[in-house]
Amino acid sequence: MTQTTTATATLDADLPPIIPARRLSHSGMGVLLGRLQPLAGRIYLLVFVLFLMSPLLILAAAAFNDSSFPTILPWQGSTIKWIVALFHDGEIGQALISSGIIAAGVIGLSLPVGTAAALVLTSLHGRTRGVVYALMVSPMLIPGIVIGISTLLFWRQVGVNGGYFLTILAQSSFIISFVMLMIVAQLQRFDRTMEEAALGLGASRLLVFRRILLPYLRPALLAACCIAFLQSFENYNTTLFVRGTETPLTIFIATKVRTGLTPVINALGLVMMVGTIIGAVMWEIARYRRAVRSAAI
């Protein structure tokens, strides 16, 4: 009996431990989930990119469709006549010039005012800073229609009608807030001891701003310029009421929607997309070369 018990114990020791069925099931499920998670992430990323890019791809494809209506279905043959027509369309050219003039004016007004507002805001403390911050951000929350109508009604009281001047003022009234927020975000990482050290060594406030603060803010200023340009270039609600006799690009496209669109607008979108991609690639190449030169030094 003792020998049998010993043999049984030896046999049990040689056998591998028995894994419960529930634990085995959970282990297999964990392996399966571990394999599915990366696949699900890739599928989600692919769907997300397609969701963003599909309208742009359809817009670009419609520029090559030999149809008088901007669509890809039915496909009536490939052509580049709409791209050629774009460069011979004087109305679109004038609309682009008007939008460019307005955007340049908005940048010229919003950048210094927004930077000054950011400097003032970061110098305040306590409850005063919260109140000033709310006042500076509030134009972003006002509908563009309200800004456009109120700007037009106010300036008409002093004899100023719609046009470039009012359009720049109306757009800048809320774009300044975007610029201010971007500069504030950069200023919050600024080391004030550098400014204090320069002042302690006898530098003037203007010299400190020009030699220390301005170079530090340069990336934020460039980004704010881009944001101000895009916000101005695509604005419609505010521009509609203060444009006067001028016809920026957004107003021109809206008018064409009512009177009849042609694929020339698709060709314009295609050219703008290609220009944006080329600009982004050139910027990345320049940034990479600067990084290489800095590493070499």
Side-chain angles (χ1 to χ4, degrees), residues 115-150:
T115 303
L119 292 173
V120 171
L121 184 62
T122 53
S123 65
L124 298 175
H125 302 282
R127 185 175 299 176
T128 304
R129 181 173 182 174
V131 173
V132 174
Y133 176 81
L135 290 175
M136 290 180 177
V137 174
S138 59
M140 298 171 55
L141 308 177
I142 301 175
I145 295 176
V146 175
I147 293 177
I149 294 175
S150 59

Side-chain angles (χ1 to χ4, degrees), residues 277-291:
I277 294 172
I278 292 175
V281 171
M282 292 178 64
W283 172 266
E284 286 297 322
I285 291 174
R287 187 176 66 85
Y288 175 76
R289 289 179 177 175
R290 288 196 301 267

Side-chain angles (χ1 to χ4, degrees), residues 54-127:
S54 295
L56 299 179
L57 295 176
I58 293 173
L59 182 145
F64 298 99
N65 188 13
D66 192 10
S67 171
S68 58
F69 188 76
T71 183
I72 60 174
L73 295 175
W75 188 264
Q76 298 183 5
S78 301
T79 182
I80 61 170
K81 67 179 182 180
W82 303 117
I83 300 177
V84 176
L86 170 65
F87 292 98
H88 292 85
D89 194 322
E91 292 182 346
I92 291 182
Q94 185 60 43
L96 284 171
I97 292 174
S98 297
S99 294
I101 292 173
I102 294 170
V106 169
I107 292 173
L109 181 59
S110 300
L111 205 61
V113 177
T115 303
L119 292 173
V120 171
L121 184 62
T122 53
S123 65
L124 298 175
H125 302 282
R127 185 175 299 176

Side-chain angles (χ1 to χ4, degrees), residues 175-225:
I175 293 176
I176 287 173
S177 300
F178 289 97
V179 175
M180 183 268 296
L181 289 176
M182 299 191 71
I183 303 301
V184 165
Q186 186 76 357
L187 283 173
Q188 288 177 345
R189 298 189 294 269
F190 179 64
D191 187 3
R192 292 289 180 181
T193 57
M194 294 190 297
E195 184 179 12
E196 295 172 358
L199 292 173
L201 293 174
S204 63
R205 289 281 182 181
L206 181 60
L207 185 62
V208 170
F209 177 78
R210 185 169 59 88
R211 300 292 296 272
I212 296 177
L213 192 58
L214 197 59
Y216 178 79
L217 293 177
R218 186 176 294 125
L221 291 172
L222 292 175
C225 282

